Amino acid sequence: MMPMVEAANQSVSNGVVSAGSVVAPANGWLVVHRTDADMAPGPVVGHAPIREGETTDVAAILTEDVAPGDMLMLMVHGETGGMHTGLFEYTLGAAEDGPIRVDGNLVMQVITVE
């Protein structure tokens, strides 16, 4: 299965952003980045563990307030290069638990908060 994220625009008033389905080449993370019309990944505002293969109904608890109209990038990150397995260690631009790429492209889906 090809790595991918499937998610739709949604309300996050409950403090959670969800992806209907995530396919990952190995155990890792669904990471929620802020983004905008430039479509560049910004600060991380949530994450959730995912397993190799397909994971459905992935819910990431948001660590910051997100308002209607904000754009979020839901991205697949790996579980590699860090000091601890099972502990999310990525910071923007770091190699630890960083984003995966397929043919040079990030595996992600952008949504708009309703």
Side-chain angles (χ1 to χ4, degrees):
M1 295 176 79
M2 187 68 132
M4 63 86 158
V5 176
E6 181 180 279
N9 295 344
Q10 59 194 274
S11 168
V12 297
S13 61
N14 61 354
V16 174
V17 64
S18 298
S21 178
V22 179
V23 176
N27 293 342
W29 306 96
L30 175 67
V31 179
V32 183
H33 292 265
R34 289 190 182 274
T35 192
D36 56 24
D38 292 337
M39 298 296 171
V44 173
V45 295
H47 66 278
I50 52 175
R51 56 181 94 106
E52 179 179 358
E54 183 176 14
T55 306
T56 58
D57 194 25
V58 179
I61 295 172
L62 294 169
T63 57
E64 293 182 10
D65 289 337
V66 176
D70 287 354
M71 296 173 69
L72 299 174
M73 182 179 286
L74 285 61
M75 184 184 302
V76 177
H77 281 234
E79 173 57 52
T80 56
M83 298 289 288
H84 305 282
T85 299
L87 178 65
F88 183 65
E89 300 175 78
Y90 178 80
T91 56
L92 199 57
E96 297 83 8
D97 296 345
I100 66 161
R101 294 178 183 269
V102 174
D103 297 328
N105 298 312
L106 296 168
V107 177
M108 58 83 177
Q109 174 73 49
V110 174
I111 67 163
T112 300
V113 175
E114 296 178 338

